[in-house]
Amino acid sequence: MTFRFVHAADIHLDSPLRSLALRNSELAELIGNATRQAFVRIIDLCIAQNVDALLIVGDLYDGDQTSMKTARFLHEQLKRLDDAKISTFIIRGNHDALSRITKELVLPDSVKLFGGRAEVVEIDHADTPFPICIHGLSFAQAHAPDSLLPKYKHPQAGAFNIGLLHTSLAGSEGHDLYAPCSIKDLQESGFQYWALGHIHKRSIVEGSCAIVMPGMPQGRDINEAGAKSVSLVTVNHDRSIEIVEHVTSIAQFERLTINVGGLVEWPELVQFIGAALQQNAGMVTAEHGVFRVLLTGQTALAWRIRRDGDLLMEELQAKAMSIGQTWIEKLEIACEPLAENLSSKSDPLHDLYHLVHEDVLSTPAFQADAQKIAEELKAQLPAECRDIFGQDEAEFQTIIDGLVKVGAENVIARLQSDESEA
């Protein structure tokens, strides 16, 4: 006596690679195919759990997709649900609002794609003593600056009302404001379950009205780190709800900070980082772990690590390969020389180090030149990669400051002589 469905959102099928750091062709291929593989896992979950419906709450595609390969893939997967007598309900979000595929693709009869006007589909479900009403409203345009909640039809009395809504809620870091509304508004709507999408981080508000943001089923870069999932929801005959998270990600991005302070020998350094990598790889819930490694701490190896970062990366990639299904997406270096080395007057690079850090980097002329170069670089990047320079002026300046500091450290490291290194 239950009604069961899988709630997914923000699948971003065939999303273009968003990280310039994915220079490893095998890793790039893995991430490039991961959204499709995650979608297949969602379909597999629906069939294995014999659910009644799949809800896809916006951003099925990443944009105005034109690839018919994507269309064929989607049709094949939805046909699998149709063959299993599982219904699919889809709304468009900000990314796929204008998608030609969504508008032109011939979908199986079991798929309901909601349009730009609010609709409600009533399901006379034999296994529940009440009807199930599914409400939906797609984005008509790529932007929705006002709340869409007032446009939804009123909940049907006596039914279990489920609403599909693509929304940023009251706002979330890293997400533009779309179809804003408050948790309180949703709780007072009279609906029993709000299936949300848009924010890529999972969150659940339980109560008489469950409000669920399932997150995304597959992260696409380091800013979408952590395990990714969908929700398997059971509506019981007494109207109680059970929500179970199911991990669907193929590759899981993670940040790994390692303090290498006090290490003095290169083999010791490689072994130490490799051990930390293996330990953290064991905690990844997805099939593959993709790490961004940040090295910190004061060490006598600081200059050499910066100078030979490419060699260290090769050694660590070999370690990752030996662990299995483990990848290093990027190696970041923030470790520093020992304090006594920085203050030693006997080091011929001492004056240069302090001149650069104290008298050059903070000057208006240098800052202006750095901004000009960064602006020129940003203009040459594809649209999906421009966010690496931040999303506003303050973030842009912070990123530039960090880049020039790292650049200065790398220059000093390459100038460091073998004698001073010893």
Side-chain angles (χ1 to χ4, degrees):
M1 299 288 290
T2 62
F3 178 80
R4 305 173 76 228
F5 61 90
V6 169
H7 170 196
D10 302 286
I11 296 166
H12 293 279
L13 276 179
D14 294 342
S15 176
L17 291 177
R18 305 197 308 172
S19 174
L20 295 178
L22 295 177
R23 298 186 181 94
N24 183 318
S25 60
E26 292 183 19
L27 178 56
E29 183 178 2
L30 171 67
I31 302 305
N33 293 327
T35 55
R36 280 197 184 199
Q37 294 182 56
F39 188 68
V40 171
R41 283 191 173 180
I42 294 171
I43 304 301
D44 290 343
L45 174 65
C46 290
I47 295 172
Q49 293 290 332
N50 192 29
V51 300
D52 298 288
L54 168 63
L55 313 184
I56 301 177
V57 192
D59 291 356
L60 174 56
Y61 305 108
D62 195 63
D64 184 15
Q65 302 282 354
T66 57
S67 170
M68 290 313 297
K69 289 183 179 180
T70 304
R72 284 195 297 271
F73 166 78
L74 179 62
H75 185 273
E76 289 169 1
Q77 296 305 315
L78 295 180
K79 183 65 167 56
R80 291 176 61 202
L81 294 184
D82 184 67
D83 292 342
K85 302 187 184 310
I86 297 172
S87 300
T88 304
F89 298 87
I90 304 173
I91 64 170
R92 298 193 302 266
N94 55 295
H95 277 273
D96 55 359
L98 303 178
S99 172
R100 290 176 55 190
I101 290 180
T102 310
K103 294 178 179 179
E104 298 175 5
L105 179 63
V106 177
L107 299 169
D109 292 339
S110 59
V111 178
K112 169 60 179 177
L113 173 61
F114 290 92
R117 288 190 175 185
E119 299 176 75
V120 56
V121 176
E122 181 176 332
I123 303 173
D124 189 11
H125 190 58
D127 289 339
T128 55
F130 44 81
I132 305 294
C133 287
I134 299 182
H135 301 247
L137 172 63
S138 286
F139 278 29
Q141 301 294 331
H143 297 284
D146 301 317
S147 175
L148 296 178
L149 195 55
K151 297 183 178 182
Y152 278 72
K153 294 185 178 296
H154 293 295
Q156 182 171 311
F160 189 94
N161 292 274
I162 301 171
L164 278 62
L165 175 62
H166 198 77
T167 174
S168 59
L169 292 173
S172 177
E173 183 179 356
H175 293 274
D176 293 330
L177 202 63
Y178 286 99
C181 64
S182 69
I183 294 294
K184 185 172 181 291
D185 292 336
L186 295 174
Q187 289 173 327
E188 295 176 350
S189 66
F191 284 61
Q192 285 71 51
Y193 185 98
W194 275 104
L196 305 184
H198 183 65
I199 297 175
H200 294 173
K201 185 177 181 181
R202 183 177 179 82
S203 65
I204 298 177
V205 177
E206 298 190 75
S208 58
C209 173
I211 302 170
V212 180
M213 191 76 74
M216 65 190 316
Q218 173 60 57
R220 297 166 296 166
D221 64 20
I222 193 62
N223 295 315
E224 295 170 343
K228 302 302 176 184
S229 60
V230 298
S231 293
L232 173 62
V233 183
T234 301
V235 180
N236 296 307
H237 71 283
D238 60 357
R239 295 176 180 267
S240 63
I241 304 172
E242 299 172 19
I243 304 170
V244 179
E245 179 182 13
H246 279 263
V247 174
T248 51
S249 46
I250 306 298
Q252 180 174 327
F253 287 89
E254 292 291 348
R255 296 180 185 272
L256 176 57
T257 300
I258 304 174
N259 189 327
V260 296
L263 299 181
V264 295
E265 299 293 338
W266 190 265
E268 181 187 17
L269 171 75
V270 175
Q271 183 177 0
F272 185 80
I273 299 173
L277 191 64
Q278 183 163 9
Q279 179 181 0
N280 283 269
M283 296 186 286
V284 169
T285 56
E287 197 173 315
H288 295 262
V290 183
F291 292 91
R292 177 170 292 189
V293 178
L294 171 65
L295 303 183
T296 65
Q298 288 192 338
T299 169
L301 292 169
W303 295 130
R304 185 179 173 189
I305 291 172
R306 288 189 179 277
R307 189 193 67 187
D308 298 335
D310 53 343
L311 300 179
L312 179 58
M313 180 67 166
E314 288 184 11
E315 293 194 66
L316 295 181
Q317 285 176 331
K319 286 278 185 183
M321 186 175 296
S322 67
I323 295 170
Q325 296 181 313
T326 303
W327 309 79
I328 300 178
E329 174 252 9
K330 189 176 182 181
L331 177 64
E332 295 181 331
I333 302 169
C335 50
E336 299 177 349
L338 298 175
E340 56 267 28
N341 291 348
L342 290 178
S343 59
S344 173
K345 297 293 184 181
S346 62
D347 188 340
L349 293 176
H350 166 268
D351 289 340
L352 178 60
Y353 178 89
H354 287 280
L355 175 67
V356 169
H357 285 78
E358 296 171 9
D359 299 334
V360 176
L361 298 186
S362 60
T363 62
F366 181 86
Q367 290 287 329
D369 284 345
Q371 287 189 19
K372 181 180 178 182
I373 293 170
E375 289 283 7
E376 291 174 352
L377 287 173
K378 185 165 76 167
Q380 297 176 45
L381 293 175
E384 61 269 15
C385 294
R386 289 172 190 164
D387 281 351
I388 65 172
F389 282 104
Q391 297 183 349
D392 55 45
E393 187 175 349
E395 192 176 356
F396 178 59
Q397 186 58 54
T398 299
I399 291 171
I400 292 175
D401 291 343
L403 289 173
V404 297
K405 184 178 183 299
V406 169
E409 296 283 355
N410 288 342
V411 168
I412 300 295
R414 291 187 178 279
L415 291 173
Q416 188 77 0
S417 65
D418 291 339
E419 291 76 15
S420 62
E421 183 178 297

